[in-house]
Amino acid sequence: MARALRTESGLVNLVGALGTGKSTLIASLPNSQVIDMDRAHAGADIRRALSRPDIRVAIDNVDGRRRLGVALAAITAIPHPNVIVVTRRPVVSLPGWSNVSTIRLEPTCDETIAELAAELGVGDRALPAVVRMAAGVPLIAVAAARALAQDIPLRPDGPLADHVAGEILSRLGRELPGWKWQFLLRGLATMGAGDEKMLRTRPDQFDALADLTLVNRSTAGLVVAEPFRWVLETAYRWRDPSGHQAVRSKAAAYRRDRMVSATTAAERAPQVEQALFLHGDNQVRETFFPPGRPFLPIRAARTEDSGAIGELMQGWAVHNGFDRKQCDRLAEQWVSDDVTGFHLIEDAAGPVGLLRLVMVGDRTIDGVEPLVQQYGDTLLGRSRRTLFLGAAFCPHPVAHAQLLRHIIENALTADRLVVSTAGHDYQQILSALRFATHGDIRDDTFRCGKPPVVFSNQFTAAALPGWIGRLGGADDDHVQATAFALARLREPASKPGLRAVAVDELRERMTSAIATLTASPDPVDAESGRILTAYYLGGQRTHVQVYLQLHLSRATYFRRLRHGHAAVARILGQTTAV
């Protein structure tokens, strides 16, 4: 990048998001004078520098209409052979800037962020969390290192994010002075995407928020760019938990209403994605919406992509412990059936991940039936539009999340999505998404010691509200209150009295809720119900005794226990009695 700036002449626009290192880069250029528009009398400094044709003139922090106007007036009045204008958004489309060459500074790699953080004193224990939070943005890494040096705790992540958010908002101040917009920005970060109604703004306020360089327009409304969105929301959740929850709850209800009123799959898609963001549990949010870098294009595969498909399928096999030759044969079958059934996500160097996602039909059925076997007659009926997911692989978490959202978007064009997977990570994702679990197929198709498990979910317009409802648990306060009340089931029966009547009534309602959960056809609900029965109704046993009795891993046990608390709170109607 520095080489490109040294060799480029004329009027150049260096563009990069907040905190990506633009100022550091131009400060390293030889024979250059940097004018910072944050300083007083910057306009006069620019004109003096432009009068020297023997140097490179770099004008930093040229963000906002007023600063752009000052810089353009000076450049127009005093022509210069080598000028760099540094902004957070490209200026080429703005009046007067059509002759500018644009050079983009993208977020850096995790390795560089780790080196920077280590140089600033971040220890090995904190380094992964700082790298994840920064997502390629040096400003965030530097702010996090500064916070840790002040003994701000690493866990929970709220205090650290709050410190970083303060530095982000301070740096944004030059774009929009004042403080009221900060409340709008953290609300927008919490709701994911927002329109005028959700944000409760006047048109001019909405426009001012949209002008911030961290804010982009999307099909669902304004969005805060990652990883800044994650930092701002995490800070808000720590500062004002009840306010944060209220924003999320109102946004979730709004998205449900918009989803129900949508008349086409294209209209429904952004509403469903936002509903997933707002209703999903922590696992769903972290998997589908991680903080990260800009989006990558996804396209249907072509015949000439066969080599890349083969390599990615081999990566898929190794990641899951599948037999590689068997995966080769399956890839050849799928390419022969319909190569466009592979969806590739690619960066500048080529494909980095893939999906095998096809509509079930005469051309594709031969490659689908061996992976659903005894469930085929039920799930692949020709009377409905059925989409089948047979493989998904991408080693990069942010690109992988984009592939997952792509699956959901495509599923909205079908009646049902059927998934067959022997991969443990995908089985966990599908359980968290509350897909129906049909069970193992007969054969160990991938020769990995276990047969694939078949899942499905309805994606018709009529089925979507029920699915989103299953995703949405009770809020944190009600879940904690429910867990506290459930713990009282382990206490002796109440003594007679008015208070005892209320307690015993609640005891009966919770016992009934656990029975409802245990009898659920949903395997996750049922397993959670069995855990609650064994721990709260089965005598004075410890958590260790219960998860050993039920043959569960410790992680699965506590995940199902938390799910059970939320499910019981939901069944009880989240009443104040709990």
Side-chain angles (χ1 to χ4, degrees):
M1 179 62 68
R3 186 182 303 112
L5 285 174
R6 285 195 298 269
T7 57
E8 191 77 26
S9 61
L11 180 59
V12 177
N13 179 204
L14 176 62
V15 181
L18 171 68
T20 48
K22 302 181 297 296
S23 298
T24 301
L25 179 58
I26 60 171
S28 69
L29 297 175
N31 193 35
S32 300
Q33 181 175 346
V34 178
I35 295 94
D36 187 348
M37 292 204 71
D38 277 348
R39 297 180 179 177
H41 312 298
D45 292 341
I46 293 172
R47 288 190 292 273
R48 278 194 296 270
L50 291 174
S51 66
R52 295 185 55 192
D54 58 317
I55 62 169
R56 179 186 291 107
V57 179
I59 311 172
D60 199 8
N61 295 317
V62 193
D63 296 299
R65 296 174 184 176
R66 186 190 65 79
R67 295 184 179 204
L68 283 168
V70 171
L72 181 60
I75 293 167
T76 303
I78 310 172
H80 192 281
N82 202 335
V83 178
I84 301 172
V85 176
V86 183
T87 62
R88 295 171 185 167
R89 280 185 171 160
V91 301
V92 66
S93 62
L94 300 178
W97 295 95
S98 59
N99 61 331
V100 70
S101 300
T102 303
I103 296 179
R104 292 182 178 272
L105 180 61
E106 301 293 350
T108 189
C109 63
D110 287 348
E111 291 76 13
T112 301
I113 292 294
E115 291 174 3
L116 172 64
E119 289 174 2
L120 294 171
V122 176
D124 292 342
R125 187 177 67 89
L127 202 57
V130 171
V131 170
R132 182 179 181 275
M133 178 185 287
V137 179
L139 166 67
I140 295 178
V142 172
R146 200 153 33 225
L148 293 170
Q150 297 172 17
D151 293 328
I152 292 176
L154 179 67
R155 290 285 182 265
D157 46 21
L160 183 61
D162 187 65
H163 178 95
V164 175
E167 297 211 20
I168 291 170
L169 294 174
S170 175
R171 294 281 290 273
L172 280 177
R174 73 169 70 104
E175 299 181 31
L176 190 61
W179 54 269
K180 291 184 179 179
W181 60 270
Q182 297 184 15
F183 293 98
L184 287 176
L185 192 63
R186 72 181 189 179
L188 177 59
T190 299
M191 62 184 64
D195 56 24
E196 275 189 16
K197 184 174 182 179
M198 294 177 73
L199 291 165
R200 298 181 178 182
T201 57
R202 301 189 309 267
D204 61 315
Q205 294 173 321
F206 188 84
D207 290 341
L209 193 63
D211 280 345
L212 289 173
T213 55
L214 291 190
V215 177
N216 299 314
R217 288 175 168 86
S218 75
T219 53
L222 299 182
V223 295
V224 180
E226 295 287 4
F228 305 101
R229 189 213 63 77
W230 183 90
V231 172
L232 293 171
E233 186 196 2
T234 304
Y236 184 26
R237 184 170 58 239
W238 175 76
R239 279 195 171 219
D240 184 2
S242 59
H244 171 269
Q245 183 59 45
V247 170
R248 280 195 64 181
S249 297
K250 291 176 183 177
Y254 180 77
R255 291 300 177 187
R256 280 197 304 271
D257 292 344
R258 289 288 308 276
M259 180 181 69
V260 170
S261 64
T263 57
T264 67
E267 290 177 359
R268 259 188 301 276
Q271 309 307 325
V272 170
E273 180 174 305
Q274 287 302 303
L276 188 63
F277 171 81
L278 293 162
H279 284 275
D281 63 13
N282 287 340
Q283 182 183 1
V284 170
R285 282 173 61 105
E286 289 173 5
T287 306
F288 277 74
F289 305 97
R293 295 167 177 76
F295 292 150
L296 298 175
I298 300 175
R299 63 172 176 84
R302 300 181 288 266
T303 303
E304 57 267 29
D305 294 313
S306 297
I309 290 170
E311 290 179 8
L312 289 167
M313 287 289 286
Q314 283 292 295
W316 178 63
V318 171
H319 174 75
N320 289 290
F322 297 162
D323 181 85
R324 297 173 67 174
K325 291 184 179 179
Q326 184 70 4
C327 289
D328 277 342
R329 286 190 287 270
L330 187 60
E332 290 172 4
Q333 167 84 55
W334 284 344
V335 168
S336 175
D337 288 347
D338 180 8
V339 70
T340 63
F342 282 102
H343 301 232
L344 303 178
I345 185 167
E346 55 187 359
D347 61 15
V352 296
L354 62 66
L355 301 171
R356 177 61 181 181
L357 188 65
V358 293
M359 198 68 72
V360 177
D362 293 337
R363 290 183 62 189
T364 58
I365 190 67
D366 290 344
V368 173
E369 285 184 331
L371 293 174
V372 295
Q373 295 185 0
Q374 69 268 33
Y375 303 106
D377 290 343
T378 303
L379 297 177
L380 306 182
R382 303 303 174 87
S383 61
R384 61 172 65 92
R385 288 172 54 81
T386 300
L387 195 65
F388 175 74
L389 176 66
F393 174 68
C394 184
H396 310 289
V398 178
H400 178 243
Q402 193 180 339
L403 282 176
L404 292 176
R405 299 195 299 272
H406 182 75
I407 294 169
I408 300 299
E409 182 180 356
N410 278 265
L412 294 170
T413 66
D415 296 331
R416 184 199 298 267
L417 173 63
V418 175
V419 186
S420 177
T421 178
H424 178 66
D425 51 355
Y426 263 77
Q427 291 175 5
Q428 285 191 314
I429 291 171
L430 293 164
S431 294
L433 286 174
R434 310 306 303 279
F435 275 38
T437 308
H438 300 281
D440 299 355
I441 65 173
R442 290 185 294 267
D443 300 330
D444 179 5
T445 307
F446 299 108
R447 299 176 183 172
C448 61
K450 56 187 177 182
V453 181
V454 177
F455 298 81
S456 74
N457 193 56
Q458 297 277 0
F459 278 90
T460 61
L464 285 173
W467 174 54
I468 294 297
R470 292 197 303 275
L471 283 174
D475 63 53
D476 290 343
D477 289 342
H478 283 105
V479 172
Q480 291 175 13
T482 299
F484 176 79
L486 283 168
R488 299 181 67 182
L489 293 176
R490 294 162 60 92
E491 299 175 358
S494 305
K495 295 179 180 180
L498 184 60
R499 181 176 180 277
V501 172
V503 171
D504 289 343
E505 180 184 349
L506 178 58
R507 185 186 298 269
E508 289 180 9
R509 293 178 61 214
M510 289 191 295
T511 302
S512 175
I514 292 173
T516 300
L517 202 60
T518 305
S520 170
D522 184 291
V524 175
D525 279 349
E527 190 167 61
S528 297
R530 289 192 293 272
I531 288 171
L532 297 181
T533 300
Y535 184 70
Y536 293 113
L537 305 177
Q540 298 295 318
R541 287 186 288 180
T542 66
H543 288 301
V544 174
Q545 289 171 326
V546 174
Y547 72 65
L548 289 176
Q549 174 200 339
L550 297 178
H551 306 290
L552 297 171
S553 70
R554 185 179 186 278
T556 299
Y557 171 82
F558 282 105
R559 189 164 57 247
R560 295 289 186 266
L561 181 67
R562 289 192 294 271
H563 175 83
H565 292 159
V568 169
R570 188 171 62 248
I571 292 170
L572 293 176
Q574 303 179 20
T575 62
T576 55
V578 174

